[in-house]
Structures are given as structure tokens and as C-alpha cells.
Coordinates of all heavy atoms in Angstrom, one line a residue:
M1 N 103.9 103.4 89.2 CA 104.5 102.1 89.8 C 103.2 101.2 90.1 O 102.2 101.6 90.3 CB 105.3 102.3 90.8 CG 106.6 103.3 90.6 SD 107.6 102.5 89.5 CE 108.4 101.2 90.4
T2 N 103.7 100.0 90.4 CA 102.6 99.0 90.7 C 103.2 98.0 91.7 O 104.3 98.0 92.1 CB 102.1 98.3 89.6 OG1 100.9 97.4 89.9 CG2 103.1 97.5 88.8
H3 N 102.4 97.1 92.2 CA 102.8 96.0 92.9 C 102.7 94.7 92.0 O 102.0 94.8 91.0 CB 102.0 95.7 94.2 CG 102.3 96.6 95.4 ND1 102.6 97.9 95.3 CD2 102.7 96.2 96.6 CE1 103.1 98.3 96.4 NE2 103.1 97.4 97.3
V4 N 103.5 93.7 92.2 CA 103.7 92.7 91.4 C 103.6 91.4 92.2 O 104.1 91.2 93.2 CB 105.1 92.7 90.6 CG1 105.3 91.5 89.7 CG2 105.1 94.0 89.8
I5 N 102.7 90.4 91.6 CA 102.7 89.0 92.1 C 103.7 88.2 91.4 O 103.7 87.9 90.3 CB 101.4 88.4 92.2 CG1 100.3 89.5 92.7 CG2 101.3 87.1 92.8 CD1 98.9 89.1 92.8
A6 N 104.6 87.5 92.3 CA 105.6 86.7 91.7 C 105.6 85.2 91.9 O 104.4 84.8 92.4 CB 107.0 87.2 92.3
E7 N 106.4 84.5 91.6 CA 106.4 83.0 91.5 C 105.9 82.3 92.7 O 105.3 81.2 92.6 CB 107.9 82.5 91.4 CG 108.0 81.0 91.1 CD 109.5 80.6 90.6 OE1 109.8 80.8 89.5 OE2 110.2 80.2 91.6
P8 N 106.0 82.7 94.0 CA 105.6 81.9 95.1 C 104.0 81.8 95.1 O 103.4 81.0 95.7 CB 105.9 82.8 96.4 CG 107.2 83.5 95.9 CD 106.9 83.9 94.4
C9 N 103.3 82.6 94.2 CA 101.8 82.5 94.0 C 101.4 81.2 93.4 O 100.4 80.7 93.4 CB 101.3 83.7 93.5 SG 99.5 83.7 93.4
I10 N 102.3 80.9 92.5 CA 102.0 79.8 91.7 C 101.7 78.5 92.3 O 102.5 78.1 93.1 CB 103.2 79.5 90.6 CG1 103.3 80.6 89.7 CG2 103.0 78.1 89.7 CD1 104.5 80.5 88.6
G11 N 100.6 77.9 92.2 CA 100.1 76.8 92.9 C 99.6 77.1 94.3 O 99.1 76.2 94.9
T12 N 99.6 78.3 94.7 CA 99.1 78.7 96.1 C 97.8 79.4 95.8 O 96.8 79.0 96.4 CB 100.1 79.8 96.7 OG1 101.4 79.1 96.9 CG2 99.6 80.1 98.1
K13 N 97.7 80.5 95.2 CA 96.5 81.2 94.8 C 95.7 81.5 96.2 O 94.5 81.1 96.1 CB 95.8 80.6 93.7 CG 96.6 80.6 92.5 CD 95.7 80.2 91.1 CE 95.2 78.8 91.3 NZ 94.5 78.4 90.1
D14 N 96.3 81.9 97.1 CA 95.6 82.0 98.4 C 94.3 83.0 98.4 O 93.4 82.6 99.1 CB 96.6 82.5 99.5 CG 95.9 82.7 100.8 OD1 95.7 81.6 101.5 OD2 95.6 83.8 101.2
T15 N 94.4 84.1 97.7 CA 93.4 85.1 97.5 C 93.1 86.0 98.6 O 92.1 86.8 98.7 CB 92.0 84.5 97.0 OG1 91.4 83.8 98.1 CG2 92.1 83.5 95.9
S16 N 93.9 85.9 99.8 CA 93.7 86.8 100.9 C 93.9 88.2 100.4 O 93.3 89.1 100.9 CB 94.7 86.6 102.0 OG 94.5 85.3 102.5
C17 N 94.8 88.4 99.4 CA 95.2 89.8 98.9 C 93.8 90.3 98.2 O 93.7 91.5 98.3 CB 96.3 89.6 97.9 SG 96.0 88.4 96.5
V18 N 93.2 89.5 97.5 CA 92.0 90.1 96.8 C 91.0 90.7 97.7 O 90.5 91.7 97.4 CB 91.2 88.9 96.1 CG1 89.9 89.2 95.6 CG2 92.1 88.3 95.0
E19 N 90.9 90.2 98.9 CA 89.9 90.8 100.0 C 90.3 92.1 100.5 O 89.5 92.8 100.9 CB 89.8 89.6 101.0 CG 88.9 88.5 100.6 CD 89.0 87.4 101.5 OE1 89.2 87.4 102.7 OE2 89.1 86.1 101.0
V20 N 91.6 92.4 100.5 CA 92.1 93.6 101.0 C 92.3 94.7 100.0 O 92.3 95.9 100.4 CB 93.3 93.5 102.0 CG1 93.1 92.6 103.1 CG2 94.5 93.1 101.1
C21 N 92.3 94.4 98.8 CA 92.7 95.4 97.8 C 91.5 96.5 97.7 O 90.5 96.1 97.2 CB 92.9 94.8 96.4 SG 93.3 95.9 95.2
P22 N 91.8 97.7 98.0 CA 90.7 98.7 97.8 C 90.2 99.0 96.4 O 89.2 99.7 96.3 CB 91.4 100.0 98.5 CG 92.8 99.8 98.2 CD 93.1 98.3 98.3
V23 N 91.0 98.7 95.4 CA 90.6 99.0 94.0 C 90.3 97.8 93.2 O 90.1 97.9 92.0 CB 91.7 100.0 93.3 CG1 91.6 101.3 93.9 CG2 92.9 99.3 93.4
D24 N 90.3 96.6 93.8 CA 89.7 95.4 93.2 C 90.6 95.1 91.9 O 90.0 94.9 90.7 CB 88.3 95.4 92.8 CG 87.8 94.2 92.2 OD1 88.2 93.1 92.7 OD2 86.9 94.3 91.4
C25 N 91.9 95.3 92.0 CA 92.8 95.0 90.9 C 93.6 93.8 90.9 O 94.6 93.6 90.1 CB 93.7 96.3 90.6 SG 95.1 96.4 91.9
I26 N 93.2 92.8 91.7 CA 93.8 91.6 91.7 C 93.0 90.5 91.2 O 91.8 90.2 91.7 CB 94.4 91.2 93.1 CG1 95.2 92.3 93.8 CG2 95.2 89.8 93.2 CD1 95.6 92.1 95.3
H27 N 93.3 89.7 90.2 CA 92.4 88.7 89.5 C 93.2 87.6 89.0 O 94.4 87.7 88.8 CB 91.6 89.4 88.4 CG 90.7 90.5 88.8 ND1 89.5 90.3 89.2 CD2 91.0 91.9 88.9 CE1 89.0 91.5 89.6 NE2 89.8 92.4 89.4
P28 N 92.7 86.5 88.7 CA 91.2 86.2 88.9 C 90.9 85.9 90.3 O 91.8 85.3 91.1 CB 91.0 85.0 88.2 CG 92.4 84.3 88.0 CD 93.4 85.3 88.0
T29 N 89.7 86.3 90.8 CA 89.3 86.0 92.1 C 88.8 84.5 92.1 O 88.6 84.0 90.9 CB 88.1 86.8 92.7 OG1 86.9 86.5 91.9 CG2 88.5 88.2 92.4
N30 N 88.6 84.0 93.2 CA 88.1 82.5 93.2 C 86.6 82.4 92.9 O 86.1 81.4 92.8 CB 88.4 81.8 94.4 CG 87.8 82.4 95.7 OD1 87.0 83.4 95.6 ND2 88.2 82.2 96.9
E31 N 86.0 83.5 92.5 CA 84.6 83.5 92.0 C 84.5 83.8 90.5 O 83.4 83.8 90.0 CB 83.8 84.8 92.7 CG 83.7 84.4 94.1 CD 83.1 85.5 94.9 OE1 82.7 86.7 94.2 OE2 82.8 85.4 96.0
E32 N 85.7 83.9 89.9 CA 85.8 84.1 88.5 C 86.0 82.9 87.7 O 86.9 81.9 88.2 CB 86.8 85.3 88.1 CG 86.4 86.5 88.8 CD 87.4 87.6 88.5 OE1 88.6 87.3 88.5 OE2 87.0 88.8 88.4
G33 N 85.6 82.7 86.5 CA 85.7 81.4 85.8 C 87.2 81.1 85.4 O 87.5 79.9 85.3
E34 N 88.1 82.1 85.4 CA 89.3 81.7 84.9 C 90.2 81.3 86.2 O 91.4 80.9 85.9 CB 90.2 83.0 84.4 CG 89.4 83.7 83.4 CD 88.7 85.0 83.8 OE1 87.9 84.8 84.9 OE2 88.8 86.1 83.3
F35 N 89.6 81.3 87.3 CA 90.4 81.0 88.5 C 91.1 79.6 88.4 O 92.3 79.5 88.7 CB 89.6 81.1 89.7 CG 90.4 80.8 91.0 CD1 91.2 82.0 91.5 CD2 90.5 79.7 91.6 CE1 91.9 81.7 92.7 CE2 91.1 79.5 92.8 CZ 91.9 80.5 93.4
D36 N 90.4 78.5 88.1 CA 91.1 77.3 88.1 C 92.2 77.1 87.2 O 93.2 76.5 87.4 CB 89.9 76.1 87.8 CG 89.1 76.1 89.1 OD1 89.4 76.5 90.2 OD2 87.9 75.5 88.9
A37 N 92.0 77.7 86.0 CA 93.0 77.5 85.0 C 94.2 78.5 85.1 O 95.3 78.2 84.6 CB 92.4 77.8 83.6
A38 N 94.1 79.6 85.9 CA 95.2 80.3 86.1 C 96.3 79.8 86.9 O 96.1 79.1 87.9 CB 94.7 81.8 86.8
D39 N 97.6 80.1 86.6 CA 98.7 79.6 87.3 C 98.8 80.3 88.7 O 99.3 79.7 89.6 CB 100.0 79.8 86.6 CG 100.1 79.0 85.3 OD1 99.4 77.9 85.4 OD2 100.8 79.3 84.4
Q40 N 98.4 81.6 88.6 CA 98.7 82.5 89.8 C 97.7 83.6 89.7 O 96.8 83.7 88.8 CB 100.1 82.9 89.8 CG 100.3 83.9 88.6 CD 101.7 84.7 88.8 OE1 102.7 84.4 88.2 NE2 101.5 85.9 89.3
L41 N 97.7 84.5 90.7 CA 96.8 85.6 90.6 C 97.8 86.9 90.1 O 99.0 86.7 90.1 CB 96.4 86.1 92.1 CG 95.6 85.1 92.9 CD1 95.1 85.8 94.0 CD2 94.5 84.5 92.0
Y42 N 97.1 87.9 89.5 CA 97.9 88.9 88.9 C 97.3 90.3 89.3 O 96.1 90.4 89.5 CB 97.7 88.9 87.3 CG 98.0 87.5 86.9 CD1 97.1 86.6 86.7 CD2 99.3 87.1 86.4 CE1 97.3 85.2 86.1 CE2 99.6 85.9 85.9 CZ 98.6 85.0 85.8 OH 98.9 83.7 85.4
I43 N 98.3 91.3 89.4 CA 97.8 92.7 89.7 C 97.8 93.5 88.4 O 98.8 93.4 87.7 CB 98.8 93.3 90.8 CG1 98.6 92.6 92.1 CG2 98.4 94.8 90.9 CD1 99.6 92.9 93.2
D44 N 96.7 94.2 88.2 CA 96.5 95.1 87.1 C 97.3 96.3 87.4 O 97.1 97.3 88.2 CB 95.1 95.5 86.9 CG 94.9 96.4 85.7 OD1 95.8 96.7 85.1 OD2 93.6 96.7 85.4
P45 N 98.5 96.6 86.6 CA 99.4 97.7 86.8 C 98.8 99.0 86.5 O 99.2 100.1 87.1 CB 100.5 97.4 85.9 CG 100.0 96.5 84.8 CD 98.9 95.8 85.5
E46 N 97.7 99.0 85.7 CA 97.0 100.3 85.4 C 96.0 100.7 86.5 O 95.7 101.9 86.7 CB 96.1 100.1 84.2 CG 96.9 99.7 82.9 CD 97.8 100.7 82.4 OE1 97.4 101.9 82.6 OE2 99.0 100.5 82.0
T47 N 95.6 99.8 87.4 CA 94.6 100.2 88.4 C 95.2 100.3 89.8 O 94.7 101.0 90.6 CB 93.6 99.1 88.4 OG1 93.1 99.0 87.1 CG2 92.4 99.4 89.4
C48 N 96.4 99.5 90.1 CA 97.0 99.3 91.4 C 97.4 100.8 91.8 O 98.0 101.6 91.0 CB 98.3 98.5 91.3 SG 99.3 98.5 92.9
I49 N 97.0 101.1 93.1 CA 97.4 102.4 93.7 C 98.6 102.4 94.6 O 98.8 103.4 95.3 CB 96.2 103.0 94.3 CG1 95.6 102.2 95.4 CG2 95.1 103.5 93.3 CD1 94.6 102.9 96.3
D50 N 99.3 101.2 94.7 CA 100.5 101.1 95.4 C 100.4 101.3 96.9 O 101.1 101.9 97.7 CB 101.6 102.1 95.0 CG 102.6 101.4 94.0 OD1 102.5 100.3 93.9 OD2 103.2 102.2 93.3
C51 N 99.1 100.8 97.4 CA 98.7 101.0 98.8 C 99.6 100.1 99.7 O 99.8 100.4 100.9 CB 97.3 100.9 99.1 SG 96.8 99.2 98.9
G52 N 100.0 99.0 99.1 CA 100.8 97.9 99.9 C 100.0 97.1 100.8 O 100.6 96.2 101.5
L53 N 98.7 97.2 100.9 CA 97.9 96.4 101.8 C 98.0 94.9 101.5 O 97.9 94.1 102.3 CB 96.3 96.8 101.7 CG 96.0 98.2 102.4 CD1 94.7 98.4 102.2 CD2 96.4 98.2 103.9
C54 N 98.0 94.5 100.3 CA 98.1 93.2 99.9 C 99.4 92.4 100.3 O 99.3 91.3 100.5 CB 97.8 93.0 98.5 SG 99.1 94.0 97.4
V55 N 100.5 93.2 100.5 CA 101.8 92.5 100.7 C 101.8 91.7 102.0 O 102.2 90.5 102.1 CB 102.8 93.6 100.8 CG1 104.2 93.0 101.3 CG2 103.1 94.3 99.5
D56 N 101.3 92.3 103.1 CA 101.4 91.4 104.3 C 100.2 90.4 104.4 O 100.2 89.5 105.3 CB 101.2 92.5 105.5 CG 102.4 93.2 105.8 OD1 103.5 92.9 105.3 OD2 102.3 94.2 106.4
E57 N 99.2 90.5 103.6 CA 98.2 89.4 103.6 C 98.8 88.1 103.0 O 98.1 87.1 103.3 CB 97.0 89.9 102.8 CG 96.2 91.1 103.4 CD 95.6 90.6 104.8 OE1 95.1 89.5 104.9 OE2 95.8 91.4 105.8
C58 N 99.7 88.2 102.1 CA 100.0 87.0 101.3 C 100.8 86.1 102.3 O 102.0 86.4 102.7 CB 101.0 87.5 100.1 SG 101.5 85.9 99.1
P59 N 100.4 84.8 102.4 CA 101.0 83.9 103.2 C 102.4 83.2 102.7 O 103.1 82.7 103.5 CB 99.9 82.7 103.3 CG 99.2 82.7 102.1 CD 99.2 84.2 101.7
V60 N 102.6 83.4 101.4 CA 103.8 83.0 100.8 C 104.7 84.2 100.3 O 105.8 84.0 99.6 CB 103.5 82.0 99.7 CG1 102.8 80.8 100.2 CG2 102.6 82.7 98.5
Q61 N 104.4 85.4 100.8 CA 105.3 86.5 100.4 C 105.6 86.6 98.9 O 106.8 86.7 98.6 CB 106.5 86.4 101.1 CG 106.3 86.7 102.7 CD 107.5 86.3 103.6 OE1 108.2 85.3 103.4 NE2 107.8 87.2 104.5
A62 N 104.6 86.6 98.2 CA 104.6 86.5 96.7 C 104.6 88.1 96.2 O 104.8 88.1 94.9 CB 103.5 85.7 96.0
I63 N 104.1 89.0 96.9 CA 103.8 90.2 96.4 C 104.9 91.4 96.8 O 105.2 91.5 98.0 CB 102.4 90.8 96.9 CG1 101.3 89.6 96.7 CG2 102.0 92.0 96.1 CD1 100.0 90.0 97.0
F64 N 105.2 92.1 95.8 CA 106.4 93.1 96.0 C 105.9 94.5 95.3 O 105.4 94.4 94.2 CB 107.6 92.7 95.4 CG 108.2 91.4 96.0 CD1 107.7 90.1 95.5 CD2 109.1 91.4 97.0 CE1 108.1 89.0 96.1 CE2 109.6 90.2 97.5 CZ 109.1 89.0 97.1
P65 N 106.5 95.6 95.8 CA 106.4 96.7 95.1 C 107.4 96.5 93.9 O 108.3 95.8 94.0 CB 107.0 97.9 96.0 CG 106.9 97.3 97.3 CD 107.0 95.8 97.2
E66 N 107.0 97.1 92.7 CA 107.8 96.8 91.6 C 109.3 97.0 91.7 O 110.1 96.3 91.2 CB 107.2 97.6 90.4 CG 107.8 97.5 89.0 CD 107.3 98.2 88.0 OE1 106.1 98.8 88.1 OE2 107.9 98.5 86.9
E67 N 109.5 98.0 92.5 CA 111.0 98.5 92.6 C 111.8 97.6 93.6 O 112.9 97.7 93.5 CB 111.0 99.9 93.1 CG 110.4 100.3 94.5 CD 108.9 100.7 94.3 OE1 108.2 100.3 93.3 OE2 108.5 101.4 95.2
D68 N 111.0 96.8 94.4 CA 111.6 95.8 95.3 C 111.6 94.5 94.8 O 112.0 93.5 95.6 CB 111.0 95.9 96.6 CG 111.3 97.3 97.4 OD1 112.2 98.0 96.9 OD2 110.4 97.6 98.3
L69 N 111.2 94.1 93.6 CA 111.0 92.8 93.2 C 112.4 92.3 92.9 O 113.3 92.8 92.3 CB 110.3 92.9 91.7 CG 109.7 91.5 91.1 CD1 108.8 90.9 92.0 CD2 109.2 91.9 89.7
P70 N 112.7 91.0 93.4 CA 114.1 90.3 93.3 C 114.3 90.2 91.9 O 113.4 89.9 91.1 CB 113.8 88.9 94.0 CG 112.7 89.3 95.1 CD 111.7 90.2 94.4
D71 N 115.6 90.2 91.6 CA 116.2 90.1 90.3 C 115.5 88.9 89.5 O 115.2 89.0 88.4 CB 117.7 90.1 90.1 CG 118.3 91.5 90.4 OD1 117.5 92.5 90.5 OD2 119.3 91.6 90.7
E72 N 115.4 87.8 90.2 CA 115.1 86.6 89.5 C 113.6 86.5 89.0 O 113.1 85.7 88.3 CB 115.3 85.3 90.3 CG 114.7 85.2 91.7 CD 115.4 85.7 92.9 OE1 116.1 86.8 92.7 OE2 115.2 85.2 93.9
W73 N 112.9 87.5 89.7 CA 111.4 87.5 89.3 C 111.0 88.8 88.5 O 109.9 89.1 88.5 CB 110.6 87.5 90.7 CG 110.7 86.1 91.4 CD1 111.1 84.9 90.6 CD2 110.7 85.8 92.8 NE1 111.2 83.9 91.8 CE2 110.8 84.4 92.9 CE3 110.2 86.6 93.8 CZ2 110.7 83.9 94.2 CZ3 110.2 86.0 95.1 CH2 110.3 84.6 95.1
Q74 N 112.0 89.4 88.0 CA 111.6 90.6 87.1 C 110.7 90.4 86.1 O 109.9 91.2 85.7 CB 112.9 91.2 86.5 CG 113.9 91.9 87.5 CD 113.3 93.2 88.1 OE1 112.7 94.0 87.3 NE2 113.2 93.4 89.4
K75 N 110.8 89.1 85.5 CA 109.8 88.8 84.3 C 108.3 88.9 84.8 O 107.4 88.9 84.0 CB 110.1 87.5 83.8 CG 109.7 86.3 84.8 CD 110.2 84.9 84.0 CE 109.8 83.8 85.1 NZ 110.1 82.4 84.4
Y76 N 108.0 88.8 86.1 CA 106.7 88.8 86.5 C 106.1 90.3 86.4 O 104.8 90.3 86.5 CB 106.6 88.4 88.1 CG 106.7 86.9 88.1 CD1 108.0 86.3 88.2 CD2 105.6 86.0 88.0 CE1 108.0 84.9 88.2 CE2 105.7 84.7 88.0 CZ 106.9 84.1 88.1 OH 107.1 82.7 88.0
I77 N 106.8 91.3 86.3 CA 106.2 92.5 85.9 C 105.4 92.5 84.6 O 104.2 92.8 84.5 CB 107.4 93.7 85.7 CG1 108.1 93.8 87.1 CG2 106.8 94.9 85.2 CD1 109.3 94.8 86.8
Q78 N 106.0 91.8 83.6 CA 105.4 91.6 82.2 C 104.2 90.5 82.5 O 103.1 90.6 81.8 CB 106.3 91.2 81.2 CG 105.8 91.2 79.8 CD 105.5 92.6 79.3 OE1 106.3 93.5 79.5 NE2 104.2 92.8 78.8
I79 N 104.4 89.5 83.2 CA 103.5 88.5 83.3 C 102.2 88.9 83.9 O 101.1 88.6 83.6 CB 104.0 87.3 84.1 CG1 105.2 86.5 83.4 CG2 102.9 86.2 84.6 CD1 106.0 85.5 84.2
N80 N 102.3 89.8 85.0 CA 101.3 90.4 85.6 C 100.4 91.3 84.7 O 99.2 91.2 84.3 CB 101.5 91.3 86.8 CG 101.6 90.5 88.0 OD1 101.0 90.5 89.2 ND2 102.7 89.5 88.0
A81 N 101.2 92.2 83.9 CA 100.5 93.1 82.8 C 99.9 92.4 81.8 O 98.8 92.7 81.3 CB 101.6 94.0 82.3
D82 N 100.5 91.3 81.3 CA 100.0 90.5 80.2 C 98.5 89.9 80.5 O 97.8 89.8 79.5 CB 100.9 89.2 79.8 CG 102.2 89.8 78.9 OD1 102.2 90.9 78.6 OD2 103.1 89.0 78.8
W83 N 98.5 89.5 81.7 CA 97.1 88.9 82.0 C 96.0 89.9 81.7 O 94.8 89.6 81.3 CB 97.0 88.6 83.5 CG 95.7 88.1 84.0 CD1 94.8 88.9 84.7 CD2 95.2 86.7 83.9 NE1 93.7 88.1 84.9 CE2 93.9 86.8 84.4 CE3 95.6 85.7 83.4 CZ2 93.0 85.7 84.5 CZ3 94.9 84.4 83.3 CH2 93.5 84.5 83.9
Y84 N 96.2 91.2 81.9 CA 95.2 92.2 81.6 C 95.2 92.7 80.2 O 94.1 93.1 79.7 CB 95.4 93.5 82.6 CG 95.1 92.9 84.1 CD1 96.2 92.6 84.9 CD2 93.8 92.9 84.4 CE1 96.0 92.1 86.1 CE2 93.6 92.2 85.7 CZ 94.7 91.9 86.7 OH 94.4 91.4 87.9
A85 N 96.3 92.6 79.5 CA 96.3 93.0 78.2 C 95.5 92.0 77.3 O 95.1 92.3 76.2 CB 97.8 93.0 77.7
E86 N 95.5 90.7 77.7 CA 94.8 89.8 76.8 C 93.3 89.8 77.0 O 92.6 89.1 76.3 CB 95.3 88.3 77.2 CG 96.7 88.2 76.6 CD 97.4 86.9 77.5 OE1 96.7 86.2 78.1 OE2 98.6 86.7 77.2
E87 N 92.7 90.5 78.0 CA 91.3 90.4 78.2 C 90.6 91.2 77.1 O 91.1 92.0 76.5 CB 91.0 90.9 79.6 CG 91.2 90.0 80.6 CD 90.8 90.5 82.1 OE1 90.3 91.7 82.1 OE2 91.0 89.9 83.1
Ligands
SF4_101 FE1 95.6 96.5 95.5 FE2 97.0 98.0 97.1 FE3 98.0 95.6 96.5 FE4 97.9 97.5 94.6 S1 99.1 97.5 96.4 S2 97.3 95.3 94.4 S3 96.0 98.5 95.1 S4 96.2 96.0 97.6

């Protein structure tokens, strides 16, 4: 399982989550070149260890455990994974 960043991140990209992630699996960070062009931040499902630390850091409550993702945001599971598949 993984955690997933959903729609509230679009246009927000707060990056507080990046600072607490123990395995550095949330990108792009605001120090990476893709940051400005990215719609939102994404969690790498292959690396996320489901620690949950990022959830409470997010000021717009955009991050969910995959199993708790609201129905209307299910597509974000693929959207997060796709960001890493394209690299
Ligand atoms: Fe990183 Fe933990 Fe959040 Fe996964 S749940 S993205 S490992 S902080």
C-alpha cells in the first residue's frame, strides 16, 4: 500500500510533507526543476512505507492512505504512480 496525494494539492504544493517524509518519496520538491511546472506533488508508491507522517503536515488535507482515499479521488492513485513511471 501507499499514501496518495489528491486534488487539494493542485495549486497548493505546500511541501511541508516533503520535509517529514523519512524515505524522500514525495516529489517534486521545491528545489527540483520540475516543481514550477508540476500541478501538484506526488508520492512514489514503490518507496512509500505508509508511515503516515505526511498526512497531518498537509495544510489542505490532500494526503490519504490509499485505502481511505475518497471515491471521487481514486484516479489519483494512478496519477501519483504515473509521475514516477515517466521519469
Ligand atoms: Fe513519506 Fe510516510 Fe507519507 Fe509515505 S506515508 S509519503 S513514507 S511521509
Side-chain angles (χ1 to χ4, degrees):
M1 301 300 282
T2 182
H3 277 53
V4 176
I5 304 181
E7 189 172 277
C9 186
I10 296 176
T12 303
K13 297 194 294 184
D14 178 79
T15 74
S16 299
C17 56
V18 171
E19 290 162 33
V20 300
C21 179
V23 293
D24 190 29
C25 71
I26 308 175
H27 298 273
T29 72
N30 56 14
E31 295 173 354
E32 293 173 332
E34 308 101 310
F35 184 80
D36 287 343
D39 292 333
Q40 63 167 95
L41 306 185
Y42 308 92
I43 292 173
D44 181 354
E46 300 290 323
T47 308
C48 174
I49 58 171
D50 267 341
C51 71
L53 286 174
C54 54
V55 173
D56 288 338
E57 290 301 313
C58 180
V60 293
Q61 295 172 311
I63 311 179
F64 299 84
E66 182 178 341
E67 61 270 28
D68 293 341
L69 193 64
D71 286 346
E72 68 267 34
W73 292 336
Q74 286 292 311
K75 67 179 180 182
Y76 284 88
I77 295 171
Q78 191 66 49
I79 289 171
N80 279 243
D82 283 351
W83 174 261
Y84 296 95
E86 289 166 6
E87 280 183 2

